[in-house]
Amino acid sequence: MNDRTITVAADSDSAEKRWIGALREALGDEAGSFDWTSARDSADGEWGAILFVDGDRSDLHRFLGTIDRHGRSVFLIWSDDSRDWDWAGESADRVDDLVVYPFRRAELRSKFRLHQHLRLWSEVGELHRSFNELLGALDEAHAKGVVHRDL
């Protein structure tokens, strides 16, 4: 997964391309530092580390459930400010944050910063799990007498 790739997912190819255009426009010159893909043009494994999902997708909750979240941040494009996202709902843990349309450069930059923080915490969690597995293996080896006490 490329950390500089941004993927947009919507109900149609034309909607994905419109959202990509709007995001690029809001970012201005900075948009050129990212690779942009639409979800329909790439396989799931090729999606970017940042995924913007159209909150008006007809299959939103099903689609959110199919996303491989490992190393990926998911931001919901929210175009109707009169509605509220259900942060207590079943799909809430599949979304990292909302980004409201019309897009603002400062808000998009803050999402990129959030993505960096989420990646760091994910890496810390992976290190913690790996360390716990190592300690468990050492305990097991010690219990079987494979590891000397002096080590």
Side-chain angles (χ1 to χ4, degrees), residues 8 10 15-23 54 77 79 101 103:
V8 176
E16 289 176 349
K17 288 185 180 3
R18 278 194 312 272
W19 284 129
I20 289 172
L23 288 160
D54 187 342
I77 298 172
S79 61
Y101 180 80
F103 304 124

Side-chain angles (χ1 to χ4, degrees), residues 75-78 84-85 87 95-100 107 111:
F75 300 109
L76 206 56
I77 298 172
W78 206 249
D84 287 326
W85 171 248
W87 286 108
V95 173
D96 293 306
D97 207 352
L98 305 180
V99 60
V100 178
E107 182 182 13
K111 301 310 175 204

Side-chain angles (χ1 to χ4, degrees), residues 46-147:
E46 297 172 7
W47 290 353
I50 298 173
L51 178 63
F52 287 101
V53 178
D54 187 342
D56 291 328
R57 279 187 70 110
S58 57
D59 63 345
L60 180 62
H61 296 287
R62 184 205 60 78
F63 180 77
L64 290 172
T66 66
I67 298 170
D68 176 8
R69 296 294 313 274
H70 182 74
R72 179 171 289 126
S73 298
V74 177
F75 300 109
L76 206 56
I77 298 172
W78 206 249
S79 61
D80 182 359
D81 202 29
S82 67
R83 294 183 308 152
D84 287 326
W85 171 248
D86 182 8
W87 286 108
E90 66 180 77
S91 296
D93 62 341
R94 298 178 182 147
V95 173
D96 293 306
D97 207 352
L98 305 180
V99 60
V100 178
Y101 180 80
F103 304 124
R104 297 176 310 220
R105 182 183 315 217
E107 182 182 13
L108 292 173
R109 284 182 175 167
S110 76
K111 301 310 175 204
F112 299 154
R113 184 168 167 79
L114 174 59
H115 167 70
Q116 291 172 341
H117 286 283
L118 293 171
R119 290 291 301 264
L120 287 173
W121 280 111
S122 176
E123 290 174 16
V124 167
E126 288 177 28
L127 285 172
H128 178 74
R129 280 187 294 281
S130 178
F131 187 68
N132 280 340
E133 288 174 9
L134 176 63
L135 288 178
L138 286 172
D139 279 347
E140 187 176 314
H142 186 268
K144 290 179 181 177
V146 176
V147 177

